[in-house]
């Protein structure tokens, strides 16, 4: 596979792993669709299918939009709030980003006997992080946007090349359509009736 798509695949798999660890169901679904789209793009490249590459390019536009939303969500742009919106888990649980408790340098301390915790949950304090989890998620999404923009340009270029090759190929006469002449009938090849 070409390097850009291989890099996209590795980045998508990395993202999928950390979203699974944090029970982030919306990103898990989006990452799964992205992995399928990358596979479709690789298949389109290998099989010289420009339609698959165009579908892949359309998906990358949606992927950029999704990652822009994630950046806005973690930076709490507008009315988005991580404290009250559980969009990433489809409002099914109180889970947060895996990086919240496992970021670089983070020290997690459980708060015992807290009345703030719902049933089957615990309250923690996180301190000492070298980089807050919101910024790790933002950097991850920004990287995905950068790779998607690069992949979009690459997919459009390769698709254009494939379409030009299809247009220049004459299936009857080969590549040289101007030099093609239909076979001429000769008198000795004409069909003669057969009498028995």
């Amino acid at each position: 596979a070409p390097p850009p798509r291989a890099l996209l695949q590795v980045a998508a798999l990395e993202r999928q792993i950390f979203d699974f660890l944090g029970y982030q169901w919306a990103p898990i679904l989006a990452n799964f669709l992205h992995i399928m789209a990358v596979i479709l793009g690789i298949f389109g490249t290998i099989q010289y299918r420009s339609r698959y590459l165009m579908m892949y390019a359309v998906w990358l536009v949606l992927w950029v939009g999704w990652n822009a939303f994630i950046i806005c969500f973690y930076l709490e742009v507008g009315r988005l709030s991580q404290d009250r919106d559980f969009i990433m888990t489809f409002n099914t649980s109180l889970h947060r980003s895996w990086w919240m408790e496992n970021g670089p340098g983070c020290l997690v301390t459980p708060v015992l006997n807290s009345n703030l915790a719902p049933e089957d949950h615990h309250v923690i304090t996180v301190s000492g992080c070298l980089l807050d989890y919101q910024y790790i998620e933002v950097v991850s999404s920004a990287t995905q946007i950068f790779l998607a923009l690069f992949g979009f340009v690459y997919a459009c270029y390769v698709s254009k090349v494939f379409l030009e090759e299809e247009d220049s190929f004459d299936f009857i006469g080969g590549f040289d359509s101007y030099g093609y002449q239909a076979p001429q009938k000769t008198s000795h090849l004409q069909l003669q009736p057969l009498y028995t």
Side-chain angles (χ1 to χ4, degrees), residues 134-156:
Q134 298 96 322
Y135 302 118
I136 295 173
E137 292 287 354
V138 166
V139 167
S140 176
S141 290
T143 303
Q144 291 291 330
I145 289 173
F146 173 75
L147 291 173
L149 292 175
F150 182 74
F152 178 81
V153 170
Y154 185 81
C156 290

Side-chain angles (χ1 to χ4, degrees), residues 25-129:
W25 302 116
I28 288 169
L29 178 62
N31 292 333
F32 175 76
L33 293 174
H34 181 63
I35 290 168
M36 293 296 107
V38 171
I39 291 170
L40 186 71
I42 291 170
F43 178 77
T45 303
I46 293 171
Q47 295 294 319
Y48 300 100
R49 308 287 177 140
S50 59
R51 279 194 189 128
Y52 292 150
L53 288 171
M54 285 187 262
M55 288 178 9
Y56 173 67
V58 168
W59 167 256
L60 287 178
V61 171
L62 297 173
W63 185 243
V64 167
W66 168 252
N67 282 285
F69 168 76
I70 290 177
I71 289 171
C72 292
F73 177 77
Y74 281 107
L75 294 179
E76 297 185 341
V77 174
R79 294 182 174 256
L80 293 172
S81 171
Q82 296 175 56
D83 294 331
R84 69 167 197 272
D85 296 330
F86 295 97
I87 297 167
M88 298 302 172
T89 61
F90 292 131
N91 289 328
T92 59
S93 71
L94 300 176
H95 287 97
R96 305 291 179 135
S97 170
W98 181 81
W99 293 107
M100 182 178 187
E101 296 179 31
N102 300 291
C106 291
L107 177 64
V108 177
T109 309
V111 177
L112 303 174
N113 301 325
S114 174
N115 295 332
L116 300 174
E119 287 184 29
D120 300 330
H121 283 80
H122 61 278
V123 176
I124 59 169
T125 59
V126 180
S127 60
C129 295

Side-chain angles (χ1 to χ4, degrees), residues 16-29:
Q16 185 75 312
I17 290 167
F18 290 113
D19 287 338
F20 259 119
L21 291 172
Y23 303 104
Q24 303 289 300
W25 302 116
I28 288 169
L29 178 62

